Amino acid sequence: MKVLAVIPARSGSKGLKDKNIKSLNGKPLLAHTIEAALEADIFDIVHVSTDSEIYAEIAKEYGADVPFLRDSKWAADHSTTWDAMKYVLMEYRKRGREFDVLVVLQPTSPLRNAKDIQKAWGFFNNKKADMVSSVCEMDHSPLWSNTLPSDLSLKDFEDETIVYMPRQSLPTYYRENGAIYIVKCDVLLTKSNIYKQNSYAFIMDKQNSVDIDDEIDFILAEILMKKRYEGEA
């Protein structure tokens, strides 16, 4: 079985400038994911998909394979990750490389480590899955949330049958954390909705599920990463 890891790292982040190469604990953000992927030791190739020559050179320095840049068509704000992944598979096919399974590791999840990747890979194989996506438990139940009208009235905000229930009595909700996606290549290339195939959720620890979108997320990730390294010292 040939397995390709892809780390999508386009330039031009709107929320946090050059987020994918911003220094986190002394290394560019994307370097943490490259190192975790290489340490997992299950991939034939670890590829960084980027539209930037600068990002590509940084990725190569940390051991990633970047034989081509992502076409600008698949690096715009409206482009989907899965369309970009299909482009990667087709580009490698042009170079004579075929893969059975694609694993997407977003660089914005730097606390996801090699053990998480290995566990997700084992889960994928044990389930004989077509697709697996990592999830984590939500911090707060969405049952305690609601939309607000333009005048910000709270008149119908709370459902009293729920709001006074103990937290332990509420069902557990999960969210996709964006850290790990595993999908069979033929499923990705031939099916319009990979979630409707033989798909499963791989549950990850919340601490390893930090997804960096803005400066606050970045600060949190750095604090948790320093704490992790101090614990290993």
Side-chain angles (χ1 to χ4, degrees), residues 10 50-51 69-81 83-84 87:
R10 72 182 179 94
T50 182
D51 58 323
L69 295 181
R70 191 191 305 185
D71 190 290
S72 59
K73 179 180 179 181
W74 310 118
D77 289 341
H78 61 271
S79 304
T80 71
T81 297
D83 284 338
Y87 172 79

Side-chain angles (χ1 to χ4, degrees), residues 18-31:
D18 284 326
K19 143 177 92 174
N20 287 320
I21 59 170
K22 184 176 171 65
S23 180
L24 174 69
N25 205 36
K27 297 176 185 177
L29 181 62
L30 61 81

Side-chain angles (χ1 to χ4, degrees), residues 96-136:
R97 300 300 301 263
E98 296 276 355
F99 299 94
D100 302 295
V101 179
L102 173 73
V103 180
V104 181
L105 305 169
Q106 296 193 134
T108 48
S109 300
L111 291 162
R112 169 253 298 109
N113 56 35
K115 288 183 179 178
D116 291 321
I117 297 169
Q118 291 168 339
K119 288 177 182 177
W121 178 245
F123 179 79
F124 173 81
N125 286 297
N126 289 337
K127 285 289 191 181
K128 296 180 171 58
D130 289 333
M131 185 269 189
V132 160
S133 175
S134 58
V135 303
C136 66

Side-chain angles (χ1 to χ4, degrees), residues 12 27 66 76 97 103 137 156 169-170 175 191 205 225:
K27 297 176 185 177
V66 195
R97 300 300 301 263
V103 180
E137 186 176 337
D156 298 313
S169 301
L170 297 173
R175 64 173 178 84
K191 304 298 182 182
D205 182 89
M225 188 167 284

Side-chain angles (χ1 to χ4, degrees), residues 10-20 51-52 55 75 77:
R10 72 182 179 94
S11 60
S13 170
K14 298 294 190 295
L16 191 60
K17 183 175 172 56
D18 284 326
K19 143 177 92 174
N20 287 320
D51 58 323
S52 166
Y55 285 26
D77 289 341

